[in-house]
Amino acid sequence: MAQNSEINAPKAKIITKSLDKLSNKISNHLSNNVEKPLEFPLDVFPKVLQAIVKEQNEKSNFDIDITSSSILGAYSIAIGNLFKANVLDKYKASSTFWLIIAAPAGANKSTPLSWSLEQIKAFDNKNYKQYFKEFKEFDNYQKLTKKEKNNTPVIQKPIFKSHTTTDSTIEKLGIMLSENPKGIGFHADEIKSFIESLSRYNGGGDLEKYLSIWSNETLNIQRVGREPIYVQNGNVSILGTIQTDLLIDTSKKSMDKNGFTDRFLWVIKPIKPKKITLEKPDKTLLKKYSNAINKVLDIIPTLDEEGYFCSNLLEFSPESESILVNWQHKNTDLQIKNEKQQNYVSAYAKLEIYIWRLALILELIEWSFSEVETIPTQININAANNAIKLIEYFRIQLHSYFSLISDVAKIDNIKDPKKRELHEMLPDDFTTAEALILGAKCNLKVSSIKRFIGDDYYFNYLGTAKYSKKY
């Protein structure tokens, strides 16, 4: 355990340093016609929701990026399969949204996410009370004699349709989706354990099923000795948090050969401690968020002629289609330009799917804060333009993720703990004399120190016995 601590401490500092220099690490490869946001583009939200986010930032110390992204996730769960978007008559985009929020240990990252989901969980709590009442009636009915049942109206076993769960086992999700075809939101306060669990069970079989779920494909679970589970168009949004110093381990265990983490949108923030104030959030203002998301939750699902759940289909306006197709062409150009970096190519391909999903979510958010009661039937140009702003924000966050795991992975290559310690002790710019003094403290020989700082994989030689660290 002591050795792990020795390795992890430098990792945490490397990550912090990378975050501090994040803006300098982002590749300047976005289209010149696309805005390059460094912070969450809050103007994609209705003005009332913008005010709510700012209120929570000022009064509750909620980070704006984390709160805003969490709200997107909460709406993705509230929408579920109620609505889908017709993408150029090619396929139907859902609201499925996978989000990982990364921040230092002790940062206020979980609270904003939990707050965004409060109303959904309150909605579920209300439904559970009704379910419990109906189950007691069913239980009493089951206890009747056969003769008594003949003289009593039949009472069917009720089903509790929950919107959220903390149980990530694929069987449990399958059962919940079969009971609630609208969809489920999986909330993981610490998502690291969830990702690791996927590699432990069924030889990676659960991972493959999660990949299918992200694409809203049919979930078909066949286990020996158990009833089969068959769910069409399964919709599961995943929202979780993680400490930034655990990112590298999570990446290693995520089996990225399958593109699992490419399916997540990232929010990586170097949040610093902030003093609280005596001011309390405006309850009247925050209530408007509850009312808005309840407007979506209260929508009664549409059923087909056979009584099966079916989605309301939203069409894109011609203008919004044109804008998003134009963005797709630019995104394709970026994939071609970066074809030698397969991690970027794969992740950019997922952004191409997310942009249609975000347009759908934004259209429903706009509607929920409006006075209009009739459910929308079209995704308009405003939602399309805002979806582009959002996707470019998440593209930059994606670069943050790649930058962090790249830097830490390179430091991981220093197998000698003494040299790793020296690397951590060295300032960004140093001289040979300074390296020799610090190296001696690490019990390294002079020859070993000189060979190490001469390694151009880790250091730049600036001339006249001066060096700089690359990572």
Side-chain angles (χ1 to χ4, degrees):
M1 293 300 292
Q3 186 177 4
N4 287 337
S5 299
E6 182 182 12
I7 293 173
N8 289 336
K11 280 185 183 179
K13 293 180 181 178
I14 293 293
I15 288 174
T16 302
K17 186 179 295 183
S18 294
L19 285 167
D20 289 340
K21 298 180 178 179
L22 196 55
S23 60
N24 296 324
K25 289 181 174 292
I26 296 170
S27 302
N28 185 23
H29 69 285
L30 302 181
S31 165
N32 292 328
N33 297 322
V34 177
E35 183 180 357
K36 302 177 181 63
L38 296 177
E39 296 180 348
F40 189 95
L42 201 54
D43 61 347
V44 303
F45 287 156
K47 291 190 181 300
V48 175
L49 185 51
Q50 293 179 42
I52 291 169
V53 173
K54 291 176 181 176
E55 179 75 3
Q56 288 290 56
N57 174 249
E58 295 169 3
K59 307 289 179 60
S60 303
N61 286 351
F62 285 9
D63 178 79
I64 286 178
D65 294 47
I66 292 176
T67 305
S68 302
S69 301
S70 297
I71 288 171
L72 289 173
Y75 266 89
S76 76
I77 296 170
I79 296 166
N81 277 331
L82 283 174
F83 295 90
K84 289 195 175 182
N86 182 13
V87 180
L88 305 170
D89 290 336
K90 301 179 189 300
Y91 72 96
K92 297 176 177 63
S94 73
S95 66
T96 300
F97 185 86
W98 288 12
L99 173 71
I100 294 180
I101 297 167
N108 192 18
K109 57 184 180 292
S110 298
T111 310
L113 176 57
S114 297
W115 170 80
S116 73
L117 297 171
E118 272 183 5
Q119 197 54 44
I120 295 177
K121 294 185 177 182
F123 189 89
D124 282 351
N125 185 51
K126 179 181 176 182
N127 285 346
Y128 182 78
K129 289 178 179 178
Q130 179 63 28
Y131 159 79
F132 187 73
K133 177 183 176 182
E134 293 175 1
F135 186 84
K136 286 179 67 177
E137 294 173 354
F138 167 77
D139 191 47
N140 290 332
Y141 174 78
Q142 290 294 95
K143 293 176 182 178
L144 297 177
T145 64
K146 186 176 181 180
K147 182 177 180 180
E148 290 172 326
K149 287 182 178 179
N150 290 334
N151 299 317
T152 305
V154 175
I155 298 178
Q156 300 292 339
K157 184 178 180 180
I159 296 174
F160 174 50
K161 298 181 178 181
S162 176
H163 283 83
T164 62
T165 183
T166 56
D167 188 339
S168 63
T169 58
I170 203 70
E171 283 88 357
K172 182 60 178 177
L173 281 179
I175 292 171
M176 293 182 72
L177 287 171
S178 63
E179 294 175 341
N180 184 12
K182 177 182 175 182
I184 299 294
F186 172 55
H187 176 203
D189 190 40
E190 287 294 340
I191 204 164
K192 180 176 183 287
S193 58
F194 158 65
I195 293 176
E196 290 178 352
S197 71
L198 292 181
S199 64
R200 287 201 299 266
Y201 302 115
N202 306 312
D206 283 4
L207 174 66
E208 298 296 334
K209 288 181 172 57
Y210 267 100
L211 297 178
S212 297
I213 287 174
W214 184 84
S215 301
N216 306 126
E217 297 174 358
T218 298
L219 179 63
N220 189 355
I221 303 173
Q222 307 282 345
R223 305 281 202 226
V224 177
R226 302 182 190 179
E227 290 294 319
I229 299 173
Y230 188 85
V231 178
Q232 289 184 304
N233 302 313
N235 190 322
V236 178
S237 286
I238 301 175
L239 312 175
T241 63
I242 191 171
Q243 295 177 25
T244 45
D245 59 350
L246 300 178
L247 275 178
I248 187 67
D249 293 327
T250 302
S251 177
K252 287 178 179 177
K253 296 173 182 176
S254 68
M255 295 146 288
D256 266 348
K257 290 181 292 185
N258 295 323
F260 181 67
T261 53
D262 291 344
R263 286 163 168 76
F264 281 92
L265 297 175
W266 295 83
V267 174
I268 303 176
K269 292 300 295 289
I271 302 174
K272 296 180 180 179
K274 185 179 177 182
K275 295 178 181 178
I276 63 171
T277 69
L278 289 172
E279 293 184 278
K280 297 179 181 179
D282 185 340
K283 291 183 179 179
T284 302
L285 182 60
L286 299 189
K287 180 67 175 175
K288 292 181 179 180
Y289 172 70
S290 301
N291 292 341
I293 201 166
N294 264 337
K295 188 175 175 181
V296 179
L297 290 168
D298 286 335
I299 295 174
I300 298 174
T302 303
L303 303 180
D304 63 17
E305 294 178 353
E306 298 179 350
Y308 290 103
F309 185 102
C310 60
S311 303
N312 296 290
L313 190 62
L314 271 64
E315 301 288 342
F316 285 90
S317 69
E319 298 84 1
S320 61
E321 281 184 338
S322 178
I323 288 171
L324 293 174
V325 167
N326 184 51
W327 175 89
Q328 189 274 340
H329 291 175
K330 294 175 181 177
N331 189 60
T332 301
D333 290 340
L334 290 176
Q335 288 178 275
I336 295 171
K337 182 179 179 181
N338 293 277
E339 61 183 352
K340 292 184 179 180
Q341 296 176 286
Q342 281 303 306
N343 55 343
Y344 281 85
V345 173
S346 176
Y348 286 2
K350 306 305 183 297
L351 294 182
E352 188 173 311
I353 295 172
Y354 264 120
I355 198 164
W356 304 96
R357 294 180 178 184
L358 288 171
L360 171 65
I361 293 171
L362 288 170
E363 186 67 45
L364 269 298
I365 290 177
E366 186 71 35
W367 170 79
S368 71
F369 277 89
S370 73
E371 299 297 324
V372 178
E373 291 299 325
T374 307
I375 61 175
T377 57
Q378 188 177 72
I379 296 175
N380 295 303
I381 190 171
N382 189 51
N385 278 323
N386 287 335
I388 291 174
K389 288 183 181 180
L390 272 181
I391 212 68
E392 294 304 337
Y393 164 81
F394 283 118
R395 191 197 300 273
I396 288 178
Q397 290 288 347
L398 178 67
H399 294 172
S400 306
Y401 169 68
F402 285 144
S403 176
L404 288 175
I405 62 174
S406 174
D407 281 4
V408 178
K410 288 168 182 172
I411 301 305
D412 255 7
N413 287 332
I414 305 175
K415 302 305 180 184
D416 185 340
K418 294 178 182 179
K419 291 181 180 178
R420 193 161 46 239
E421 182 182 4
L422 172 58
H423 185 279
E424 178 55 35
M425 292 173 67
L426 287 169
D428 289 343
D429 297 295
F430 61 92
T431 64
T432 302
E434 290 172 328
L436 291 175
I437 293 171
L438 293 173
K441 294 180 180 180
C442 301
N443 296 318
L444 285 168
K445 295 179 180 179
V446 172
S447 58
S448 182
I449 297 169
K450 288 184 175 180
R451 280 196 302 271
F452 181 51
I453 64 175
D455 189 339
D456 60 8
Y457 186 80
Y458 299 105
F459 305 99
N460 295 311
Y461 179 61
L462 306 178
T464 60
K466 294 180 180 178
Y467 296 84
S468 67
K469 292 165 68 172
K470 288 186 175 180
Y471 316 110

